[in-house]
Amino acid sequence: MDSKITTYLVPIDFTFETENALMFALALAEKQAHKVVLLHIIANESERTGAELKLSELAGKYNEFDIEATVIVGNVLHDIGVIAEGIGASLIVMGTHGEVGLLSKVLGSKTMRVLAKSKVPMIIAQKETRFHAIKNIVMTLDLEKESIQVVKHAAKIGQLFDSKVVLVAAAQEDEFLKRKIELNLKLSRDYLNENGINTEIHLVSAKGYVKNLLAYCEEIGADMLAATYYQDSFFSFSEHLVKALAGNPLQIPVMTFDGESTSSGSQFGFLTV
């Protein structure tokens, strides 16, 4: 598998949260000298001169990096994902702090999907998120095939940092549900192992799943969470899970990806992304 990540896109609205996301992206980029593109979206042309000046000043603080500043007229809710795909970005790094900041505008069930439909994975960094070597990635799975889609992107980060990926799911008592979760765990584990990623499986109680998941993250010192985003179904809770994890109190960065944008209807859909 190709582990190169060529371009990171960082949406900037000049708040501390998005500038912290930039710091996180630069720390990631430094690992293999990747390009970082700063994006500021304005409502009309009258705002361009001031925005370009501010964005240029911000980019100028980091001359040692391959960094580019872009200002466009557009809509935050619809254009970030389109632009990311258009420039060939392999990762969006986005800043948020609870319900404050740029990400609050795109966390709705519809608007986040518009963003993620670009097929570009996103890392969500909070106000107090700080970058350090990513040694433990916790990837959460549920009963739906879409939940494994993020594994390819988690594997790229894992290869970059020689990380261990721990697959976490809710323990099931019902035999039918147990078989579904075991299949998802097996598929993800096999894919990671085939790509040289050290992998473990850990089950937590389904009751209070998010709390139990975060407790486990704290216990092992997780450096990143990974969870596929898709619309809720009868057996899953991905949409609400990703929103909950995005504002997790441990300030762990969260990688997410729209599984439905690439799901082929096969349990192996992620292998062809």
Side-chain angles (χ1 to χ4, degrees):
M1 181 179 65
D2 183 3
S3 62
K4 292 182 179 179
I5 301 176
T6 55
T7 302
Y8 298 140
L9 178 68
V10 185
I12 295 289
D13 63 3
F14 306 113
T15 61
F16 179 85
E17 289 79 17
T18 60
E19 291 190 29
N20 187 53
L22 170 58
M23 297 300 296
F24 192 92
L26 291 174
L28 278 175
E30 191 172 21
K31 186 70 177 178
Q32 286 192 350
H34 299 307
K35 180 179 181 180
V36 175
V37 176
L38 308 186
L39 172 68
H40 181 69
I41 298 177
I42 55 178
N44 54 68
E45 282 293 341
S46 65
E47 302 174 13
R48 179 176 295 279
T49 300
E52 287 182 342
L53 178 61
K54 290 180 68 175
L55 201 61
S56 178
E57 289 176 351
L58 179 61
K61 297 178 182 178
Y62 308 101
N63 288 326
E64 68 272 28
F65 292 93
D66 181 5
I67 190 166
E68 177 182 313
T70 301
V71 175
I72 69 157
V73 176
N75 186 303
V76 171
L77 302 182
H78 298 92
D79 292 335
I80 293 174
V82 173
I83 292 166
E85 192 170 359
I87 67 173
S90 50
L91 191 64
I92 299 168
V93 183
M94 200 123 178
T96 185
H97 181 228
E99 296 183 355
V100 179
L102 186 59
L103 192 66
S104 66
K105 300 176 184 177
V106 295
L107 271 181
S109 60
K110 295 180 180 179
T111 54
M112 187 173 178
R113 286 174 54 78
V114 170
L115 171 64
K117 281 290 185 179
S118 65
K119 301 181 182 179
V120 179
M122 177 183 1
I123 290 179
I124 302 167
Q126 296 188 67
K127 185 177 181 179
E128 300 301 326
T129 298
R130 297 293 181 266
F131 178 85
H132 46 88
I134 300 171
K135 293 302 180 185
N136 290 308
I137 300 172
V138 171
M139 176 178 158
T140 177
L141 298 168
D142 61 36
L143 298 163
E144 298 297 332
K145 66 179 184 295
E146 288 86 359
S147 72
I148 66 179
Q149 296 290 330
V150 77
V151 68
K152 179 176 181 179
H153 307 291
K156 287 183 179 181
I157 297 294
Q159 285 188 327
L160 197 60
F161 291 93
D162 192 24
S163 314
K164 177 173 69 176
V165 176
V166 183
L167 303 172
V168 178
Q172 303 293 331
E173 296 183 4
D174 179 88
E175 284 302 317
F176 172 70
L177 300 183
K178 187 176 181 180
R179 287 194 297 271
K180 284 176 70 73
I181 201 69
E182 286 177 348
L183 178 58
N184 282 349
L185 288 166
K186 180 181 184 303
L187 290 170
S188 298
R189 181 193 60 201
D190 289 350
Y191 180 81
L192 291 164
N193 288 343
E194 287 168 6
N195 286 282
I197 306 296
N198 182 18
T199 310
E200 293 182 6
I201 291 175
H202 183 78
L203 299 179
V204 300
S205 173
K207 185 177 181 180
Y209 180 75
V210 172
K211 180 180 178 180
N212 296 331
L213 172 65
L214 292 177
Y216 179 69
C217 288
E218 186 172 24
E219 178 185 331
I220 69 168
D223 303 301
M224 181 170 287
L225 277 155
T228 306
Y229 177 89
Y230 57 95
Q231 287 288 310
D232 289 352
S233 73
F234 181 76
F235 287 125
S236 63
F237 48 88
S238 168
E239 182 179 343
H240 296 298
L241 174 65
V242 172
K243 292 177 186 178
L245 295 182
N248 74 83
L250 301 177
Q251 305 283 319
I252 300 172
V254 178
M255 170 177 278
T256 188
F257 179 74
D258 188 338
E260 290 183 340
S261 69
T262 56
S263 178
S264 65
S266 163
Q267 200 82 1
F268 294 93
F270 69 91
L271 295 176
T272 61
V273 174

